[in-house]
Amino acid sequence: MKAMWTAIRARIRQRIWHWLDQRTPLTAEQLLRQRVLFVFPTRFGFALLALVVLLYILGTNYQNNLVILLGYLLLVLCISAILLAFLNLHHTTVKAEVPADACVGDTVHILLQLRRASGLPQALVLGWQEESGVLVTGSCPLLTLAAAKRGYHPIPRLKLQSVYPFGLVRCWSYVRLDTKYWVFPTPRLSKFSAQQRLDNSANREEWSGQRQYQPGDAWRQLDWKRFSRQQQLLVHQYAAVNQPSAEVWLSPDARIDTFEAQLADLAARAQLLEQAAQPFGLRLAQQEVAIGSGPAHLRQTLQALALC
Amino acid sequence: MLSPSLFQALQWRLWLFQLLLWALLLPAYTSWSLAVFALLLLAKLWQLYRNGKAWSLGYSNLLAGGMLLALLLSARELGVMHLMFHFLLLAAVLRLLGLTPQRRTDVVQLIWVHYFLLACAFILHQDLWLAAIVLAAFALNLYAQYLTFCTQLPQLNWHILSRNTLLVMLFTGVLFVLFPRLPPLWQLPGAKMTQTGLSDNLAPGAVSRLLESEDLAFRVRFSGPAPAASQRYFRAKVYDVFDGSNWRAQRLQPRPLASTDTLAQYHYTVVAEPHQQYSLFSIGQVQRHSQNAMATNEALLVTEQPLSQRLSYQVSSSISPIKASGNINRYLQLPAGNPQSRALAQQLSLNAANAGTAASATLLVQQISEYFRQQQFRYSLTPGELSGAQIDQFLFERKLGFCSHYAGATVFLLRAAGIPARLVGGYLGGEWQDDGAYLQVLQKDAHAWVEYYQQGQWLSFDPTALIEPALLLETLSDDNLGDFAGAGGDWMLAKLRIMVLQPLRDLDYYWSMWVLSFDSAQQQSLFGQLRQWQQALRVPSDWWLWLLFSTAVAGAWYGLRRPRPDATRRLFLPLLQLQPKAANQSYQQYLAIWSEQQPALTAEFNALSQYYLRWQFAGEAAAYAEARPLVRQLLKKLKRLRS
């Protein structure tokens, strides 16, 4: 029985979301028009309406016009609260900045932009779809999302709501923004790759000379002895003994048992290769990223890993 | 969670509100609870000044428990309604003392209870001035409510605020006038309060105090002619039982009004002040009355409940003898004693029988008035206490007194001579106010006179007026100024009172006439009036003429009010209203910005720009004519895009 009830509720909820999605097409920025704004009295609003009824009965029974008048005053207040709550959000434009890439387990920060010709909504509570949300101020609120799964995800429905000014009526809107964010596999070297790296680094790089320190050089590579003697900042330089092979192809390591761990390993290896300025390519079962180097290439590789 | 500064501001408003409420509910409270609430409010003040901690729930509950016990113990003397007021205010004050910024629901509940308490204040007070205070308190509470849902201390924009207030008032007024009225659904307990005005027990001392009181008793507005001052006897009570010193009135049973053949002479509306008694006021024989009053056997009007708030009712009546019904013999009751008076009654009755053949009662009354005149009775508001055989003492020793003495003695004489008679209490005269718009009757206009039975009718007779004919003179409020000339130091005060207070009383009268006593009957009559206007104005086929006329007037007014913009501005006005043009921009630049913003409409904007250039710089008038529909089309498309 209970299961059936839950199922029905889920069904209804799904219907409502579907209906909402039809009402609000996906756009880069959403103007809060009458079509997408909803109003409904809050608990306090209902309590005050009940008070209006109570006052009407009281005023009628005591034949006291002033009590009735007070009741009407409260009724007009309730009605105008609908309008005021609506106008508080009406004609605001909501837009989300494209968020920075994140790895699984990170937090994605999404910067929103609110605009309106005159003033900004007061006492606005922002949150994702079915969360309660937080009170925000200013025109650029920041929302966070937990990056749980790798991939290229659209941001969830945004819920904007406010009970301003009298707390009698809640005005809210579900906004679907056409903004997506990348979640890459968290780079983690497998023990095999780590072992191999150790072996490589032992014999692959050799001291090749020194040069002047430039900002950005690793402090580890500073020649401290010379600095203490001659007050001269020099950096050790190492060169690979055997020239890096022109191309390194990364492919999943079959020895790793889970697919996700394979991807994490690939991501870590790609990062290491990028740090070493070693051009590399990626070969996956259905996909291939051509040989290349540079941050854009790394991102492309990671995107390929995120999507597979 | 409310920010600290906001919470502080909120608490101050709520405290101020409760202080106002405390003052408004003063009449409902006994002295000890008054003191407790004052102390609690002071405690809150202390807490606010010291930024002290909110009271804990346990502490509040302990206090509330003690108070509740004390209140329940005194429940009997408080009455149900005041007990409720006490509970509510207690809850509100304790809640305020325990308020914390973390719990907004507490604030919300408090505000709700505040609104309800305001309504309770309206049950106790309906005067215009107190109503103004209640409305101010309402505004304060509303502001507190606003603060509760703000995120920072708001800057009030008085322009917008006053406009919105006006709109809200307007809508409330419309609702008030148009929303249907219902009769009382069920009886509610009234407020227990001390009675004022003429009481059911007519003790001479109480009457003399009443005759010095400047308090308002009721106000009357006559539609049509009004009776002269000498005929304005407003009957309120019939005192039929005499115990040797006091006259007592019995609680009267309402009875449907018997139809009479006499035509009603006077139609009037009475606005009675609350006096916590059942009696209402009417002149002579009541012919018709509104639903909120009930008639009795004695042709008096009474209410169902003690009058605890202002009441307005309509009466039609005629100044004619009152039809007698029921048992007449009970109006012959007399206690033993007063032998001299009894002897006098016998003698006067004998004289009357000798005097002629007319109805004996009227003759006897003539004899009595003759007696008063011959014996040189005088009128005085301070005749001194009577003791023992009061009637004898008054008739044969003092020969000095006011209305209740004369009327009481006359009734005694009539009853002793075997003629049914009764003492009637009420008000006489009154002052015309506001250029004769309404009659104001004060407590000092209280009066007592006599009704005696003759041939199935009650005839009225006022012995006091014989002694003091000035009582029957018409007094006008302006003439009164002269009376104070000899009154010494109080003169200035009295003059000030009339100059300042009377206009306020006038205003209060119209307030009660139009707001307090607005009921379904008035609603109907207002609708009727509107319909009459509508009929007077309407020429059925010409309604569109009216529409055209009013549009033309509105248009002309609008046109006159604002200067006509130049042709270019007129052309682009729809666009300018959507997005203003910077002063240093040319229209060409302005249109370029538009077309950048609306890539879908670039072609249209470019075309418009071309037309504009051709018209402005090549002088082609046709281009202007072509540009205008284009702007209209653009506007439509823009609206579609924007919505």
Side-chain angles (χ1 to χ4, degrees), chain A residues 140-159:
Chain A
C140 301
L142 192 69
L143 283 185
T144 55
L145 258 179
K149 262 178 71 181
R150 67 189 165 78
Y152 188 43
H153 305 294
I155 58 172
R157 277 191 203 84
L158 198 63
K159 187 162 88 174

Side-chain angles (χ1 to χ4, degrees), chain B residues 250-297:
Chain B
Q250 283 165 339
R251 171 92 197 275
L252 304 170
Q253 290 310 311
R255 192 189 60 112
L257 205 59
S259 62
T260 47
D261 41 3
T262 358
L263 270 175
Q265 288 170 286
Y266 303 108
H267 309 278
Y268 48 100
T269 305
V270 183
V271 180
E273 293 296 302
H275 52 40
Q276 315 302 333
Q277 303 187 57
Y278 293 93
S279 53
L280 294 177
F281 318 99
S282 57
I283 300 178
Q285 174 71 50
V286 174
Q287 309 281 355
R288 255 180 307 130
H289 56 82
S290 51
Q291 289 298 314
N292 48 3
M294 293 176 297
T296 69
N297 260 337

Side-chain angles (χ1 to χ4, degrees), chain B residues 45-59:
Chain B
L45 190 67
W46 178 251
Q47 194 192 76
L48 276 171
Y49 263 119
R50 295 285 306 269
N51 269 329
K53 259 177 58 187
W55 285 16
S56 70
L57 198 64
Y59 193 40

Side-chain angles (χ1 to χ4, degrees), chain A residues 44-97:
Chain A
F44 184 34
F46 278 117
L48 211 65
L49 282 176
L51 183 66
V52 170
V53 175
L54 193 67
L55 289 189
Y56 184 76
I57 292 171
L58 199 73
T60 303
N61 278 345
Y62 278 108
Q63 288 289 288
N64 189 315
N65 274 343
L66 293 179
V67 176
I68 294 182
L69 201 66
L70 189 71
Y72 290 152
L73 201 59
L74 287 176
L75 185 66
V76 172
L77 185 74
C78 287
I79 293 168
S80 48
I82 299 174
L83 201 67
L84 290 172
F86 171 77
L87 289 178
N88 186 33
L89 294 189
H90 193 222
H91 267 313
T92 312
T93 309
V94 189
K95 194 180 149 188
E97 297 285 311

Side-chain angles (χ1 to χ4, degrees), chain B residues 524-584:
Chain B
Q524 291 306 321
S525 85
L526 189 69
F527 288 157
Q529 232 163 35
L530 282 178
R531 222 165 288 137
Q532 274 176 7
W533 287 344
Q534 196 193 351
Q535 270 164 5
L537 291 176
R538 192 179 60 181
V539 189
S541 59
D542 289 356
W543 63 268
W544 55 269
L545 211 70
W546 278 107
L547 198 71
L548 209 69
F549 176 70
S550 43
T551 330
V553 168
W557 186 68
Y558 185 76
L560 281 176
R561 251 183 81 233
R562 48 189 326 166
R564 199 167 159 75
D566 65 54
T568 321
R569 202 178 151 71
R570 266 208 317 277
L571 176 65
F572 292 117
L573 200 60
L575 292 175
L576 289 169
Q577 277 168 355
L578 290 178
Q579 180 177 316
K581 181 178 84 80
N584 56 358

Side-chain angles (χ1 to χ4, degrees), chain A residues 227-300:
Chain A
F227 176 66
S228 60
R229 266 182 312 196
Q230 300 174 354
Q231 302 294 312
Q232 196 179 6
L233 272 175
L234 289 176
V235 184
H236 294 295
Q237 275 194 314
Y238 300 89
V241 174
N242 35 352
Q243 279 300 310
S245 55
E247 30 195 67
V248 174
W249 283 99
L250 296 174
S251 56
D253 191 341
R255 291 170 295 178
I256 306 170
D257 33 353
T258 65
F259 183 57
E260 289 303 318
Q262 285 177 7
L263 292 179
D265 177 53
L266 282 174
R269 272 153 64 196
Q271 272 189 351
L272 286 172
L273 287 173
E274 173 58 29
Q275 275 165 22
Q278 162 76 58
F280 63 94
L282 177 69
R283 266 200 198 113
L284 293 169
Q286 278 136 23
Q287 213 179 348
E288 198 178 285
V289 179
I291 300 282
S293 65
H297 176 70
L298 177 67
R299 189 154 182 267
Q300 197 189 353

